[in-house]
Amino acid sequence: MKEIQVGLIGFGTVGTGVVKLLQNNARLLEKRLGARLVLKKIADIDLTTPRDVQIEKDILTKDAGEILNDPEISIVIELMGGYEPARSFILEAMHKKKSVVTANKALLAVHGNEIFKVAEEEEVDIGFEASVGGTIPIIKTLKEGLVANEVKAVFGITNGTSNYILTKMADEGENFDDVLKEAQDLGFAEADPKFDIEGIDSAHKLAITLSLSYGKRVNFDDIYREGISKISQDDIEFAKELGYKIKLLAIAIQREDSIEARIHPTMIPFDHLLANVNGNFNAFHIICDAADSVFLYGQGSGMMPTASAVVSDLVDISRDMLKGIARRVPSRSSREDIIEDIKLKSMDDIVTNYYFRFSAADRPGVLSKISGVLGENNISIASVIQKGRKHNDAGAVPIVMMTHESKEKDVRSALEEIDRLDIVRGETILIRIEDDNLKSDFIQGT
Ligand code: HSE
């Protein structure tokens, strides 16, 4: 039987999962591929930590060069994470005509333009299914399954840690810091949890998703991002009362002249599928012109789910190698030689519905002052909730308002003005609401 020699750089949790999967499902993979995947070398700087998998000791090395310089190895799996030396290893592998499989979302979000260009020039493949949505085949879905479609919008729950925190806060009334600690103990939070709770990890994943959905070059820093650290139990309770769940959403919407790309806590109607994606699960709601609505759901992290995505890339590339072809599918779905920069809509210009929670003095005239400023800034109020006289620490009461569609720029000017009023105590909380946009007929009509 034919063999395909593979090298693995990075023997951490996912790396161990890949080794396990290649061993446990070796027969099945041979049957499906018609060849044997041979893990020839594993490189990691830490060779002493025990891993829950049996391997021949002599395949382990501390030197990634033993993989990169081995002419028999035709596919390199990079699972070390981080920017360097991962970037240099991937580029070197490609310059040596090896195809690459990686789960490195941060690297692809920031250096993807360079990496995809080199892959094209060297005529090698780069598989990155595991970089977005863990086990969910979102990359293949966008590149192949939905290739005939114009993607109108993608709404994703792409950070398991944030989703786990929001779910536990909503369902069990748990406190933010305690649940974050649980997510860290369970192993799906990033080494620096700021990446999770400040929306950076989701933005990495959205950058990759955008480049595939629209076949464009994306500049990571242009993506608007806001995390969940300001979300309190009060907002979760008010959202419930109003018929919404709060989720950290990665949003891409094609508008007439540009594309909206934003990450922020979002209120979603209770009955929408995304509102029912709980715990550390990830999901994507894709709206297309022909396929209409497509929904994907699954584990966004974890040893074996992520390994499943890595091995799927390995098999895809190997299948093509066995047929003597490469780059059957372009890395970003569209031809690399004609790829253009994406045109993102300025955040100031987005139009959506808003939830505001003001913390204000409990005295006559307060509501009219606030609504006056909103009115002067073209913001029309759809509903108001003011609870009885249960004052918070600042001696203030919460006033909640929902708006009709408003422009972000107007909202920011209004809130700046309102937060300067002497009747307002502390910063107003703003949460965007996605309601109509989640309906495919609404998006199709834009
Ligand atoms: N920290 C990430 C998450 C892991 O919480 O989703 C998967 O990318």
Side-chain angles (χ1 to χ4, degrees), residues 329-374:
V329 183
S331 309
R332 287 186 273 204
S333 196
S334 294
R335 281 170 47 194
E336 276 295 319
D337 58 331
I338 53 163
I339 209 147
E340 293 171 350
D341 291 337
I342 201 162
K343 191 168 168 230
L344 295 184
K345 199 177 188 85
S346 152
M347 199 57 194
D348 274 352
D349 295 332
I350 74 146
V351 174
T352 190
N353 302 92
Y354 293 83
Y355 156 101
F356 304 136
R357 179 168 56 81
F358 305 101
S359 190
D362 189 10
R363 57 175 195 249
V366 168
L367 259 182
S368 71
K369 256 196 180 166
I370 293 177
S371 49
V373 177
L374 292 174

Side-chain angles (χ1 to χ4, degrees), residues 4-5 67-76 88-101 117-126 317 321 325-327:
I4 292 190
Q5 310 276 335
I67 291 174
L68 300 169
N69 296 319
D70 185 334
E72 283 185 358
I73 291 181
S74 48
I75 305 176
V76 174
S88 301
F89 288 164
I90 287 178
L91 293 176
E92 189 179 339
M94 295 195 298
H95 286 309
K96 291 191 166 138
K97 301 288 180 198
K98 299 179 194 307
S99 284
V100 170
V101 175
K117 188 164 173 271
V118 173
E120 169 80 3
E121 285 163 3
E122 296 293 354
E123 291 177 47
V124 292
D125 279 298
I126 172 148
I317 295 173
M321 274 179 179
I325 54 171
R327 300 198 62 72

Side-chain angles (χ1 to χ4, degrees), residues 105 158-162 188-190 196 201 205 282 300-301:
K105 55 213 163 168
T158 58
N159 184 262
T161 304
S162 297
F188 44 81
E190 297 298 304
D196 296 302
D201 176 73
K205 294 162 178 166
N282 283 198
S301 56

Side-chain angles (χ1 to χ4, degrees), residues 163-299:
N163 205 45
Y164 184 80
I165 294 174
L166 292 172
T167 304
K168 286 270 184 170
M169 284 174 77
D171 295 354
E172 291 163 40
E174 280 197 45
N175 150 302
F176 190 103
D177 294 329
D178 293 345
V179 201
L180 172 59
K181 173 83 180 47
E182 274 174 45
Q184 286 173 298
D185 294 345
L186 288 165
F188 44 81
E190 297 298 304
D192 178 355
K194 259 200 231 115
F195 273 58
D196 296 302
I197 60 174
E198 297 304 345
I200 303 166
D201 176 73
S202 286
H204 287 148
K205 294 162 178 166
L206 183 59
I208 298 169
T209 309
L210 275 173
S211 68
L212 302 178
S213 303
Y214 302 106
K216 304 271 186 191
R217 259 189 306 264
V218 176
N219 178 12
F220 172 70
D221 292 321
D222 294 343
I223 296 177
Y224 177 80
R225 56 174 187 261
E226 198 184 298
I228 61 164
S229 55
K230 286 187 186 160
I231 300 295
S232 71
Q233 202 52 254
D234 284 349
D235 298 312
I236 289 174
E237 291 304 320
F238 279 121
K240 230 183 244 175
E241 205 173 317
L242 294 159
Y244 294 95
K245 280 241 186 120
I246 302 175
K247 295 287 180 190
L248 182 68
L249 225 56
I251 300 174
I253 305 177
Q254 168 138 54
R255 299 296 185 192
E256 240 167 57
D257 55 344
S258 56
I259 289 161
E260 283 179 28
R262 45 192 168 101
I263 312 281
H264 51 70
T266 311
M267 286 195 182
I268 309 174
F270 264 145
D271 58 357
H272 191 275
L273 282 173
L274 283 173
N276 295 288
V277 172
N278 292 318
N280 66 327
F281 277 87
N282 283 198
F284 297 86
H285 178 193
I286 310 162
I287 302 174
C288 302
D289 59 349
D292 205 321
S293 271
V294 174
F295 196 85
L296 303 174
Y297 169 88
Q299 283 287 348

